[in-house]
Amino acid sequence: SAANMYGKCNHPADSSSSCKRLGFLQKNNSLEERSRIVTSFKERAAKNLQLSCDNVGGEARFRRTETDFSNLFARDLLPAKNGEEQTMQFLLEVVEILTNYVRKTFDRSTKVLDFHHPHQLLEGMEGFNLELSDQPESLEQILVDCRDTLKYGVRTGHPRFFNQLSTGLDIVGLVGEWLTSTANTNMFTYEIAPVFVLMEQLTLKKMREIVGWPEGEGDGIFSPGGAISNMYSVMIARYKYFPEVKTKGMAAAPRLVLFTSEHSHYSIKKASAALGFGTENLILLKTDERGRVIPADLEAKVIEAKQKGYVPMFVNATAGTTVYGAFDPINEIADICEKYNMWLHVDGAWGGGLLMSRKHRHKLNGVERANSVTWNPHKMMGVPLQCSAILVRERGLLQGCNSMCAGYLFQQDKQYDVAYDTGDKAIQCGRHVDIFKFWLMWKAKGTVGFEQHIDKCLDLSAYLYNKIKNREGYEMVFNGEPQHTNVCFWYLPPSLRGLPDGEERRERLHKVAPKIKAMMMESGTTMVGYQPQGEKVNFFRMVISNPAATRSDIDFLIEEIERFGNDL
Amino acid sequence: SAANMYGKCNHPADSSSSCKRLGFLQKNNSLEERSRIVTSFKERAAKNLQLSCDNVGGEARFRRTETDFSNLFARDLLPAKNGEEQTMQFLLEVVEILTNYVRKTFDRSTKVLDFHHPHQLLEGMEGFNLELSDQPESLEQILVDCRDTLKYGVRTGHPRFFNQLSTGLDIVGLVGEWLTSTANTNMFTYEIAPVFVLMEQLTLKKMREIVGWPEGEGDGIFSPGGAISNMYSVMIARYKYFPEVKTKGMAAAPRLVLFTSEHSHYSIKKASAALGFGTENLILLKTDERGRVIPADLEAKVIEAKQKGYVPMFVNATAGTTVYGAFDPINEIADICEKYNMWLHVDGAWGGGLLMSRKHRHKLNGVERANSVTWNPHKMMGVPLQCSAILVRERGLLQGCNSMCAGYLFQQDKQYDVAYDTGDKAIQCGRHVDIFKFWLMWKAKGTVGFEQHIDKCLDLSAYLYNKIKNREGYEMVFNGEPQHTNVCFWYLPPSLRGLPDGEERRERLHKVAPKIKAMMMESGTTMVGYQPQGEKVNFFRMVISNPAATRSDIDFLIEEIERFGNDL
C-alpha cells in the first residue's frame, strides 16, 4: 500500500495534456528552474522586507505588495528561514480573497449559490481539481483553490439564504473565529487555554442566569452541536438516577423509557440509540395541531409505561421545534416530571435564543424548572457554526458522569487551581474553542444587541405570515401566528387551485415544493427549506435568523416562489 | 429573571470610578455625542471608499487606513447600510493583530506564554475585563479584547511548545480555517456544503487507501476529535454484531465485553460508560514494559470472559499510545480477533500519521486488517484543531447505525444525488467543516510533505533520546529508542542522585517534574508535559509534532530542565 501511495503520480509534469485536463494553472517549470526562481525571489523578498514593512510604534506593519506565488510553496512559509515576508504576503493575499467574499455575501446582486451536481464538481470545473496529489502545489494554485472553493460554495450569509436555522455572517463572530484558529488551542485544560476557559465559565454562568437558575448556579459545557448537547442531557439524567450504569452498564438499570414529542428533533432518537436505551424505548408524545406537546398525553403514557413495568426517566420538552417552531408548555410538563420524578430537559437549540428577548421569552416560561437545557447560540443568535451549550442545574453531575481522571492531562499537582481544567466533564478529550466568537459578539452587541436581532427576526416572520396568510395560492400548514420565526406554508400553482382535496391533489402538491426549490437552486437566487411532516405533504418551512434579511428579501422570496411555481 | 438580566447594569456610564475599576478604555461619550460622531464618520467613510479602495481588474481592493474605532459599534458593520468601508477597515485591523501574532509565534525571543492564575485573570489584567455586559462596547474595545486574548493565551505554535500531541501553527492550515469560518456552513448536506462534502469524500478515500483497504473502499466521517471517533468505533461494532440494540437497547444484547490496553487512551473507557456497556466491562490488557499489548494476555482474557458467560465483542489496538507512544502489535491482535469473531479497532489518533511515512509506517503493520481506524490529522500531521477521522472498512454500517432519516434535512426528492448528504451517518446533526484546512494542506504539501514532516519529527525525538539516554541526571522510563516521538524520562536533581531506590526517593522524585513545569510556565520559556503512569512516579513526556522545532529547541528544553531543576 506504500507503493500504491507514492507509485501513482497524479499529475505527471511531463504531460501537458494531462495537466490541462486536470486543470492545473501553474507553469510546470523544471525543478532546477524553480529552484533558481525561488532563490531569486528570496533575495528580492529580503530586500522587500524593508519596502513592505513600516515600523509603526515598535510593531512591524506589512503592506501587501504584488508577489509572484507561482514558484513559492508551503515549505517557503514560516517556520522556514526568512519565510516571514512570503508568509505575510500570502496571508494578506488570502485576506483579500476572503474580504471580497464577505463584501459579495451582502450584495444582493450576487447569487446565493452557483449550483453544480456532484459529478460536475468531481469532473473538475474550469480547472478546479479536488483530487489530492503526492507532490506539492504552488501557493498560486492554493490561492486559486481558495477562490474556487468559495465560488462553488453556498453563501450562507447572503440576505436571501433562508435554508437552515443557522444563517448569516456576523462580522464580529467571524473575527472571533479567525482569532480562534490563529490561537489554535484546546479547551481541555486551563494550562493551554487560560483565557478561553474563563470566558466559557463566565458565559455559561450568564446563560444560566438568563435561564433563571438562582445566581446562575449550575454547570455546563460547550459541545459540538445541539445533537451532542441533547445526548449529554440523557447521559446526565441516567447518571443522576442510576449512577451505577457508568461502571456496570445498562444491565444495572431497570427498563428505562424516555419521552419526547413527535415534532422534536431527531437527535433525541439518536441519543436513545447510541446510549443503549433503544429507539423503541423513546416514547413519542402527541402534539396539538401547532406542534406543541399535549401534557395529558405525557401523563397517560407515563402511567402506561409504569403499568408495563418500565421506569420513566427523562422527558424532553422542545423550545422551538425544527419545523413548526413550536414551544412545548414547559410548566405543565415540569409538573408531571416532578410528580413522577423524571428528569426534565428543555431542547432550546433553536428557541433558546428567545430568552434574550423581553418580548418573547415568555414562550419558554418554566424553563427555570428544567434540569438541563440545550441552547445553540449558532442558531437564533447568529454566532458562527459551531456554538452549542448544554446547561445543567445541578453541579457535579457532568463531572461525575464523564470523569475518567486521565493522569496525563488532569494532574492534580499543578501549580494552579485545577478546578479550571474542564476537560474531564466532556465526552470529548480535545475540544475546539467555540466560546471566543460568542463571547466577543456578546461584548460587541451587548445583551440588548441580541435582543434587537431576535425581535427583528420575529417581526420579519410576522410580516411574512401576514403577507401570505390570505394571499391567493397559499395555504398555511397550521393556523395562527407562528411562535418562532418558522412560517410553514404550501404554495399552490394555479393548476392545482381548483382541484378538490384528495389523493391527486396531495400527490401533485407534494411535488411542488421540491420542484420550486430545485429551480431556485439552479438559478441561485434564494434558498428555503421544505419537508413533509406526518401526514402532511411537502411544504415550505421559511425560517428567519439572518441579520441581513429585510422585508424586501421576504418579498423577493415570495416573488421567486410564484415565478417558479406559476406554471407547475 | 428577565429583570435580573436587564435590571443589572454592569457598566454604568455615569460612574467613571466603576469604569476605571472595570478597566474600560473607551471614552464614555453621551449617546447624543456618539450619534453625532458616528454620522460624521459615516460621511467621511463614504468618501474614504474612493480613497481606500482601488479598482484592480474589476475587483475592489481595500487599503488599510487609519480609522477611529472608538465610536464605531458592531451595528455599524455589514449588513448595516454603508457599512462596507467600516467592515473592511475593521477586518484589516484584526488581520494586523493576527499577523503580528503569527510572526511572534515563530520568534524564539518571545515567550511561549505569559502565565497568570485564574483569579488574576478574573480580577482583570490591565483592564482586560472578561465580564459580559448588557450594552455594546466599541469596536476599539473589541480590538483591545482581541489583543488581550492573544496576549494572555498560550502560543501553541511556538517552536518551544511541546506540551500536547497537537502543536504547531501551519500557515496553510490557518488559511484553511480562516476560509472555513468565512464560508460558515455545515457538513450535513451537499445542498449547503457541496465542495466541502466532496473534499471530505475524496480525502477519506485517500486515507483508506493509505490504510491499505483495497481501492480505498469503505466509509468514514470526520468527527469532533479522537474521543468521538473512538466512540463511533464501539457504536458501529455493536451495530454490526447486535443491530437490534439500536431499537431495543442494550437489553437486547448478551453481556458484552470490550478490550483495550492499560496504556490506551481514556476515551475508550468514556465510550464504554456513555454507550451503556459500563466501564467494568471494558477489560484492560497487560502491556510489556514499553507499553505494547501482550497478545497472549488478550487471548487469555477473551477465553476467561467467554467462560464467565460474557460475549467478547470489541478490541481496541492503539497505534501510538498517549504517554509512551507505543504501537500495539496489530497483526497478532488481528489474528485473535479473527479467531474469536471480534471487531478490531485501531486507535491511531496519535500514531496514524506515521502511515504517511515510508520509513515508519511498518509500525502499523496489520492496520489494513482493522474493521475501523481512528486517525487525527490534527496531531502528528500538524493540521489545526480539530480534525479527526473515523474510517470504517465495511460500507453501510455508519449509515445503518446512526440513520434516523430526518425528513426536514435529508429529503429523498432533491434534484441531486442524495447519497452525498452525509449527515445521517453522524451522531451529530450540524457538523463543523473540519475538512477544508486538511485538504488544502495536502494540496500544498503533497503526500511527500507530510512524510517529510513526520520523518523530521521522529529524527528529532531520536536526537533527544540519544542526547539524554546516558546523560547525568536522566533516567529513561523505558529502555530502547521510542517508537513514536514520545521520549519519557525522569530528571533527577543532584540532591536526589545519591539516594537509594526507595520510598523517599520516589516521593521526592514525584515532585520534581511538577515543580520544574511550574517554573517553566512562570518564566514562559517552554512547555512540556508530565504525568505518573501506573506505579511510576511523575516523569516528563516529551513529544514532538511541532514543525517549527529544531535541535536547538531540544537543546534549549534540556537546558531549561537543568536550570530549573538543579537546585531542587
Side-chain angles (χ1 to χ4, degrees):
Chain A
S1 56
N4 176 26
M5 234 168 93
Y6 294 96
K8 203 175 101 188
C9 174
N10 289 338
H11 313 120
D14 54 347
S15 159
S16 61
S17 69
S18 152
C19 283
K20 199 171 167 193
R21 185 173 51 77
L22 289 168
F24 278 93
L25 300 181
Q26 81 259 43
K27 290 178 286 285
N28 286 288
N29 302 303
S30 71
L31 274 179
E32 198 181 311
E33 189 189 349
R34 280 191 190 185
S35 154
R36 189 185 55 74
I37 294 173
V38 171
T39 308
S40 131
F41 176 87
K42 283 177 183 164
E43 282 161 9
R44 192 157 53 80
K47 275 189 216 148
N48 264 357
L49 200 60
Q50 261 88 56
L51 295 174
S52 75
C53 165
D54 302 335
N55 219 300
V56 180
E59 295 259 294
R61 176 163 283 186
F62 278 82
R63 279 201 310 270
R64 208 164 140 266
T65 57
E66 289 302 321
T67 304
D68 176 10
F69 293 103
S70 66
N71 286 295
L72 285 174
F73 291 84
R75 60 176 170 264
D76 301 315
L77 301 173
L78 286 172
K81 214 179 154 190
N82 298 327
E84 190 166 288
E85 170 73 11
Q86 289 97 300
T87 302
M88 292 303 120
Q89 291 304 330
F90 178 61
L91 288 175
L92 294 178
E93 195 67 34
V94 168
V95 167
E96 182 75 21
I97 293 169
L98 299 181
T99 50
N100 270 323
Y101 179 83
V102 169
R103 289 194 299 115
K104 285 186 184 162
T105 286
F106 294 101
D107 176 357
R108 288 179 177 77
S109 72
T110 64
K111 285 182 173 190
V112 175
L113 79 165
D114 183 7
F115 178 78
H116 293 88
H117 286 280
H119 69 89
Q120 293 174 308
L121 284 172
L122 286 171
E123 284 158 10
M125 301 293 304
E126 295 167 11
F128 185 28
N129 174 24
L130 294 168
E131 290 287 343
L132 298 166
S133 53
D134 294 344
Q135 297 302 319
E137 292 182 2
S138 71
L139 294 182
E140 179 174 281
Q141 181 60 43
I142 294 303
L143 292 166
V144 170
D145 288 339
C146 286
R147 283 189 202 100
D148 284 344
T149 298
L150 292 170
K151 177 169 191 237
Y152 296 107
V154 175
R155 297 184 196 275
T156 59
H158 193 288
R160 291 167 181 170
F161 178 82
F162 303 109
N163 208 60
Q164 312 296 146
L165 305 184
S166 302
T167 64
L169 182 61
D170 186 275
I171 300 296
V172 175
L174 177 64
V175 156
E177 279 292 72
W178 285 3
L179 185 145
T180 298
S181 39
T182 311
N184 191 33
T185 194
N186 193 318
M187 290 297 285
F188 50 32
T189 61
Y190 177 86
E191 188 170 323
I192 66 163
V195 181
F196 299 131
V197 162
L198 296 177
M199 285 173 175
E200 182 175 72
Q201 290 211 356
L202 291 171
T203 308
L204 287 168
K205 183 162 189 289
K206 190 91 178 171
M207 293 172 86
R208 291 190 303 260
E209 279 171 22
I210 291 170
V211 162
W213 293 335
E215 311 290 321
E217 276 300 305
D219 208 342
I221 200 163
F222 281 83
S223 94
I228 303 286
S229 292
N230 283 340
M231 180 186 276
Y232 267 114
S233 74
V234 181
M235 285 172 64
I236 300 163
R238 179 174 66 184
Y239 180 74
K240 171 70 178 173
Y241 291 110
F242 305 99
E244 61 277 17
V245 170
K246 181 179 179 183
T247 50
K248 299 190 186 306
M250 287 296 272
R255 294 188 302 168
L256 304 172
V257 286
L258 320 169
F259 301 88
T260 194
S261 101
E262 291 168 350
H263 278 245
S264 70
H265 190 259
Y266 69 100
S267 53
I268 301 288
K269 205 169 165 188
K270 286 212 178 194
S272 309
L275 304 180
F277 293 87
T279 53
E280 288 176 6
N281 298 312
L282 173 66
I283 297 176
L284 296 184
L285 304 173
K286 280 192 200 143
T287 65
D288 64 19
E289 75 110 22
R290 301 195 47 170
R292 296 170 297 204
V293 156
I294 300 170
D297 190 57
L298 168 61
E299 183 154 21
K301 282 173 175 160
V302 166
I303 292 168
E304 191 189 337
K306 286 167 76 86
Q307 283 168 346
K308 287 186 185 162
Y310 288 91
V311 174
M313 186 192 86
F314 172 97
V315 180
N316 173 58
T318 307
T321 60
T322 314
V323 178
Y324 283 19
F327 289 78
D328 289 339
I330 302 176
N331 266 321
E332 287 154 273
I333 295 171
D335 289 342
I336 298 167
C337 287
E338 280 171 19
K339 185 168 170 188
Y340 296 96
N341 188 30
M342 298 181 292
W343 184 276
L344 172 58
H345 175 65
V346 171
D347 177 4
W350 172 225
L354 270 62
L355 289 168
M356 307 295 281
S357 160
R358 283 165 285 195
K359 186 171 170 194
H360 295 286
R361 63 170 284 133
H362 68 89
K363 294 167 186 172
L364 290 99
N365 275 352
V367 67
E368 71 283 357
R369 296 172 67 187
N371 300 95
S372 55
V373 176
T374 292
W375 176 353
N376 288 9
H378 73 216
K379 293 199 166 80
M380 197 59 206
M381 293 167 75
V383 178
L385 283 161
Q386 61 192 34
C387 190
S388 170
I390 172 74
L391 308 172
V392 186
R393 193 167 63 189
E394 182 177 332
R395 268 197 99 77
L397 289 180
L398 254 180
Q399 182 84 17
C401 176
N402 291 305
S403 165
M404 299 292 159
C405 301
Y408 80 98
L409 270 179
F410 310 119
Q411 303 91 334
Q412 297 303 299
D413 48 10
K414 292 180 181 175
Q415 86 269 39
Y416 60 84
D417 179 356
V418 293
Y420 289 93
D421 284 352
T422 55
D424 219 12
K425 288 181 188 179
I427 56 166
Q428 300 178 264
C429 172
R431 188 160 60 94
H432 188 260
V433 177
D434 295 333
I435 185 60
F436 181 66
K437 58 195 164 196
F438 182 31
W439 180 90
L440 198 69
M441 280 176 69
W442 204 321
K443 280 270 182 186
K445 296 164 90 82
T447 313
V448 294
F450 285 121
E451 177 178 52
Q452 283 156 6
H453 165 64
I454 284 155
D455 288 353
K456 187 199 138 197
C457 288
L458 279 135
D459 282 354
L460 269 183
S461 78
Y463 171 78
L464 170 62
Y465 168 74
N466 288 314
K467 183 182 172 100
I468 62 173
K469 68 177 172 179
N470 297 316
R471 191 181 177 92
E472 196 186 349
Y474 290 80
E475 275 181 32
M476 305 310 292
V477 172
F478 56 85
N479 291 321
E481 193 159 320
Q483 291 188 282
H484 205 320
T485 69
N486 308 49
V487 181
C488 297
F489 62 91
W490 289 281
Y491 171 72
L492 286 88
S495 67
L496 263 71
R497 290 179 201 164
L499 281 184
D501 204 4
E503 204 46 43
E504 191 200 336
R505 187 179 186 270
R506 280 175 55 82
E507 276 178 22
R508 286 177 62 185
L509 183 56
H510 189 56
K511 289 175 186 153
V512 170
K515 278 185 193 159
I516 293 176
K517 170 72 174 275
M519 286 187 279
M520 277 177 180
M521 286 179 67
E522 306 272 352
S523 76
T525 50
T526 184
M527 280 178 83
V528 60
Y530 74 86
Q531 67 285 298
Q533 170 91 32
E535 295 293 293
K536 296 186 158 80
V537 300
N538 278 325
F539 55 86
F540 286 112
R541 177 206 64 175
M542 176 65 180
V543 279
I544 302 163
S545 61
N546 195 331
T550 62
R551 290 188 175 196
S552 72
D553 300 307
I554 305 288
D555 295 340
F556 179 80
L557 176 83
I558 294 302
E559 283 162 27
E560 287 292 276
I561 287 175
E562 295 176 1
R563 180 165 77 97
F564 294 124
N566 196 51
D567 297 330
L568 291 180
Chain B
S1 56
N4 176 28
M5 233 169 94
Y6 294 96
K8 201 177 100 189
C9 174
N10 289 338
H11 314 119
D14 54 348
S15 161
S16 61
S17 70
S18 151
C19 284
K20 201 171 166 192
R21 184 174 50 78
L22 290 168
F24 277 94
L25 301 180
Q26 80 260 41
K27 292 178 286 285
N28 286 289
N29 302 302
S30 72
L31 273 180
E32 199 181 313
E33 189 189 349
R34 280 192 189 183
S35 154
R36 189 186 53 74
I37 294 172
V38 170
T39 307
S40 131
F41 176 86
K42 282 178 184 166
E43 283 161 11
R44 193 158 51 83
K47 276 190 216 146
N48 263 357
L49 199 61
Q50 261 88 59
L51 295 173
S52 75
C53 164
D54 302 334
N55 218 301
V56 180
E59 296 260 294
R61 176 163 284 186
F62 278 81
R63 279 200 310 271
R64 209 163 139 267
T65 57
E66 289 303 322
T67 304
D68 176 10
F69 292 103
S70 66
N71 286 294
L72 285 175
F73 291 83
R75 61 176 170 264
D76 301 314
L77 301 173
L78 286 173
K81 214 179 153 189
N82 298 328
E84 190 167 287
E85 170 74 11
Q86 291 97 300
T87 302
M88 292 302 119
Q89 292 303 329
F90 179 61
L91 288 174
L92 293 178
E93 196 67 34
V94 169
V95 167
E96 182 76 20
I97 294 169
L98 299 181
T99 51
N100 271 323
Y101 179 84
V102 169
R103 289 194 298 115
K104 284 185 184 162
T105 288
F106 294 102
D107 176 357
R108 288 179 176 77
S109 73
T110 64
K111 284 183 173 188
V112 176
L113 79 165
D114 184 7
F115 178 78
H116 293 87
H117 286 280
H119 69 89
Q120 294 174 308
L121 284 172
L122 286 170
E123 284 157 9
M125 302 292 305
E126 295 167 13
F128 185 27
N129 174 24
L130 294 168
E131 290 288 343
L132 299 167
S133 54
D134 294 345
Q135 297 303 318
E137 293 182 0
S138 71
L139 294 181
E140 179 174 280
Q141 181 60 43
I142 294 302
L143 292 167
V144 169
D145 287 339
C146 286
R147 282 189 202 96
D148 284 344
T149 299
L150 291 170
K151 177 169 191 237
Y152 297 107
V154 176
R155 296 184 196 274
T156 59
H158 194 289
R160 290 165 181 171
F161 179 82
F162 302 110
N163 208 61
Q164 312 295 148
L165 304 183
S166 302
T167 64
L169 182 60
D170 186 275
I171 299 296
V172 175
L174 177 62
V175 157
E177 280 292 70
W178 285 3
L179 185 145
T180 297
S181 40
T182 311
N184 191 33
T185 193
N186 193 318
M187 291 296 285
F188 51 31
T189 60
Y190 177 86
E191 189 169 323
I192 65 163
V195 181
F196 299 131
V197 162
L198 296 177
M199 285 172 174
E200 181 175 74
Q201 290 212 356
L202 290 171
T203 307
L204 286 169
K205 182 163 190 286
K206 189 92 177 170
M207 293 173 87
R208 292 190 301 261
E209 281 171 20
I210 291 170
V211 161
W213 292 335
E215 311 289 322
E217 276 300 304
D219 208 341
I221 200 163
F222 281 83
S223 94
I228 303 287
S229 291
N230 284 340
M231 181 187 276
Y232 266 115
S233 75
V234 181
M235 285 173 64
I236 299 164
R238 180 174 66 184
Y239 180 74
K240 170 71 177 173
Y241 292 110
F242 305 98
E244 61 277 18
V245 170
K246 181 179 177 182
T247 49
K248 297 187 185 309
M250 287 295 272
R255 294 189 301 168
L256 303 172
V257 286
L258 320 169
F259 301 87
T260 194
S261 102
E262 291 168 349
H263 277 245
S264 69
H265 190 259
Y266 70 100
S267 53
I268 302 288
K269 206 168 165 187
K270 286 214 178 193
S272 309
L275 304 180
F277 293 87
T279 53
E280 289 177 5
N281 297 313
L282 173 67
I283 297 175
L284 296 185
L285 304 173
K286 279 191 200 145
T287 65
D288 63 20
E289 74 110 22
R290 300 196 47 171
R292 295 170 297 205
V293 156
I294 300 169
D297 190 57
L298 168 62
E299 184 156 22
K301 281 172 175 160
V302 167
I303 292 168
E304 192 189 337
K306 285 167 75 85
Q307 282 168 348
K308 287 185 185 162
Y310 288 91
V311 174
M313 187 194 85
F314 172 97
V315 180
N316 172 58
T318 307
T321 60
T322 313
V323 179
Y324 283 19
F327 287 79
D328 288 339
I330 302 176
N331 266 319
E332 287 155 273
I333 295 170
D335 289 342
I336 298 167
C337 287
E338 280 172 18
K339 186 169 169 188
Y340 296 96
N341 188 31
M342 298 181 292
W343 184 276
L344 173 58
H345 175 65
V346 171
D347 176 3
W350 171 226
L354 271 61
L355 289 168
M356 307 295 280
S357 159
R358 282 166 284 195
K359 187 172 168 192
H360 294 287
R361 63 170 284 133
H362 69 89
K363 293 167 187 173
L364 290 99
N365 275 352
V367 66
E368 72 284 356
R369 296 172 67 187
N371 300 95
S372 55
V373 176
T374 291
W375 176 353
N376 289 9
H378 73 216
K379 294 199 165 81
M380 197 59 206
M381 293 167 76
V383 178
L385 284 161
Q386 60 192 27
C387 191
S388 169
I390 172 74
L391 307 172
V392 187
R393 195 167 60 189
E394 183 177 331
R395 268 198 100 75
L397 290 180
L398 256 179
Q399 182 83 17
C401 177
N402 292 306
S403 165
M404 298 293 159
C405 302
Y408 80 97
L409 269 180
F410 311 120
Q411 303 89 332
Q412 297 302 300
D413 47 11
K414 292 180 181 174
Q415 87 269 39
Y416 60 83
D417 179 357
V418 293
Y420 290 93
D421 283 353
T422 55
D424 219 13
K425 287 182 187 178
I427 56 166
Q428 301 177 266
C429 172
R431 188 160 60 93
H432 189 260
V433 177
D434 295 333
I435 185 61
F436 181 67
K437 59 195 164 195
F438 182 31
W439 179 91
L440 198 70
M441 280 176 69
W442 203 321
K443 279 270 183 186
K445 297 163 90 81
T447 313
V448 295
F450 285 120
E451 177 178 52
Q452 283 156 7
H453 165 65
I454 285 155
D455 288 352
K456 186 197 138 196
C457 288
L458 279 135
D459 282 354
L460 269 182
S461 78
Y463 171 78
L464 170 61
Y465 169 75
N466 287 314
K467 182 181 174 100
I468 62 173
K469 68 178 173 183
N470 297 317
R471 189 179 177 95
E472 196 185 351
Y474 290 80
E475 274 183 33
M476 306 310 292
V477 173
F478 55 85
N479 291 320
E481 191 158 321
Q483 290 187 282
H484 206 319
T485 69
N486 308 50
V487 181
C488 295
F489 61 92
W490 289 282
Y491 170 72
L492 286 88
S495 66
L496 264 72
R497 291 182 198 163
L499 282 184
D501 203 6
E503 204 47 42
E504 190 200 337
R505 185 178 187 271
R506 279 174 55 81
E507 275 179 22
R508 287 177 60 185
L509 184 55
H510 189 56
K511 290 177 186 152
V512 170
K515 279 185 191 158
I516 293 176
K517 171 71 175 277
M519 287 187 277
M520 277 178 180
M521 285 178 66
E522 306 271 352
S523 77
T525 50
T526 181
M527 280 179 84
V528 60
Y530 75 85
Q531 66 286 297
Q533 169 90 33
E535 293 294 293
K536 297 186 157 79
V537 300
N538 277 325
F539 55 87
F540 286 112
R541 177 206 63 174
M542 176 66 180
V543 279
I544 302 164
S545 62
N546 195 331
T550 62
R551 290 188 176 198
S552 72
D553 299 307
I554 304 290
D555 295 339
F556 180 81
L557 175 83
I558 293 302
E559 283 162 26
E560 287 293 276
I561 286 175
E562 295 176 0
R563 180 164 78 95
F564 293 123
N566 195 52
D567 298 330
L568 291 182

